[in-house]
Amino acid sequence: MGKFNRLGNELYTGHKSIDFVGKRAFWYAVSGAIVLVALLVVVLRGLNFGVEFTGGVQYQLNGLESSQVTQGTADDLREAVADTGIENAADPQVNTSGGAGMLIVVEELTEEESARVIEAIRSVVDVTDEQISPSEIGASWGQEVAQRAITGVVVFLVLVMLFIGFYFREWKMSIAALAALVHDIVITIGVYSLSGFPVTPAAVTGLLAILGFSLYDTVVVFDKVRENTAAMKQTRQTYAQAANLAVNQTLVRSINTGIVALIPIGAILYVSAVQLGASSLKDLALSQFVGMAAGVFSSVWVAPRILVHLKSNESEVVLAERRAKARAKAMADPYASVPVFTEAAPGSDVGVDYGDLEIGDEDEDPDHDDQGTPVSRGPARGSGAAAAYGKGRIAPQAKGPVRDSGAAGRQQPSRQPRSRRGKS
C-alpha cells in the first residue's frame, strides 16, 4: 500500500508519468475495435428481452406453508420447470411472494405447454388448482417501459451536454464526455448480449445508473484539465502535456473510486447469479458492473484523448506546441543559436584572395604583384592585432602611433604629452 501511495504522489507531482493522450491512432484503434466487437455481438446474437418486454405467463402460488416459501423451494421449482423441455420455459423466473406465496414467470406458452408447466410445479409443491393462478402478461407494459427508458436516456444526455457546457464553458468538453458515455453504453449492451441475461426493467435501471457514474468520473478529470491548462504560458506546457498530467493526477482517485464501487456490485452479481439465481438482481448487477468498469476506462483513456484531439487546432494550443518544440530543440543543442562569424579575423589569411595562385606553386610570390610591387597583407601573425586573435578579443584598428607593450604582450597606442599632440 505504501508503494501505491508513493506512486500516486509521483504521478501527481509529475516525477512519473503515463502517456494517456499520446499514440492517438493506436488507442483510437483499440477503443474502436472494442466498440465494433460489442456492436457485432449485438447484431449477431441480439438481446434476450424479458417477459416484461415480450409478454408471457405468470403463475401465482398462494396458500403455501411458510416452511415451503424458501429459496430452496424456488430453486427446485426453477429446475423442474426448466426440465420440461419447453423452449419458452427454459429460463423461468421464480421468486417468493410474501410469506405464503411463490411467483413463477415464463414466456408465452400454449395451453398444452401451460398444463405441462403446472404438472412440473405440482411435482415440487403440493398445491391444488385453486392455489395456482395463471395469468398472461401483456407486452404493452414492457413497451411503455422501453419508451420511457429511451426518453430518459435522451433527456439525460441533453442535460449532460448543457451542464458540462455551462460549467466548463467549453462545448468540446461536452462532445468528449458524450463520446465517452456512448462508448460505455455500447460496451455494456454488448456484454449483456454476450452473457444472454434477459433485458428487464432492472437492467434498464442499471444502465441509467452507470451513465451518472461515468459522467462523474469524467467531470473530475476535466476539472483538473481545466485547472492545469489555465496558465500554459507560465508552466511552459502544451495542452496535451497539461491534460496528460491531469489524468495522471486523478488516476489513483479514479482507480480507488472504481474499486470501491465494483466490489459490492461484484458481490451482488456473484450471489444473485451463482447462489440465488434471482434474475432481477443479476440483471441490475451485471449492467452496473460492466458499465462502471467501462466508465473508469473511458474517463482515463477515451474522454481526455478526444478532448485533446478537438483542441489541437486552436491557435493558442498550436502556439504552445511550437514554443515547446523550440524549447526542446534548444535543450537538445544549446549551441545551435550561437551566431557564426564568417568575416576574416585581422592578421589571418582567411578570406584573402590570392588571385590565380595555386597552393604549392613556388614560382609565384604572394607578397608581390606581377610588377614586383609589395602587396600589403595586414600585420603579421603574432604581432599587433593578430596577437590578440585567439585570446578572446580582437583589438580595434589603431587611430594613432603604436608601439610594443611588454605588459600587454602586443602593440598598444602610444600616448603623447598634451604639448606635443598634433605636432610632427
Side-chain angles (χ1 to χ4, degrees), residues 28 160-162 164-180 218 222 225 239 302-318:
Y28 275 168
V160 164
M161 294 188 66
L162 293 177
I164 296 180
F166 282 112
Y167 180 72
F168 292 107
R169 295 181 177 86
E170 179 61 75
W171 65 268
K172 294 180 180 179
M173 287 188 174
S174 299
I175 298 298
L178 180 62
T218 303
F222 280 1
V225 171
Y239 193 91
V302 179
R305 182 171 289 106
I306 294 177
L307 176 62
V308 172
H309 192 177
L310 293 176
K311 298 278 290 184
S312 60
N313 293 327
E314 294 185 3
S315 58
E316 184 179 356
V317 176
V318 172

Side-chain angles (χ1 to χ4, degrees), residues 52-115:
E52 295 86 353
F53 295 98
T54 61
V57 182
Q58 176 180 283
Y59 298 92
Q60 178 73 43
L61 307 183
N62 300 313
L64 299 178
E65 296 180 1
S66 59
S67 60
Q68 291 181 313
V69 185
T70 61
Q71 185 61 42
T73 303
D75 294 339
D76 294 339
L77 286 172
R78 187 181 300 106
E79 293 179 3
V81 174
D83 291 341
T84 57
I86 302 173
E87 183 179 357
N88 288 350
D91 188 20
Q93 301 178 20
V94 183
N95 299 300
T96 59
S97 178
M102 303 286 291
L103 188 64
I104 304 170
V105 180
V106 295
E107 298 180 14
E108 293 183 352
L109 302 175
T110 63
E111 292 184 1
E112 181 183 355
E113 292 173 341
S114 179

Side-chain angles (χ1 to χ4, degrees), residues 287-303:
S287 60
Q288 287 190 339
F289 187 87
V290 177
M292 287 182 179
V296 174
F297 175 80
S298 65
S299 65
V300 173
W301 290 100
V302 179

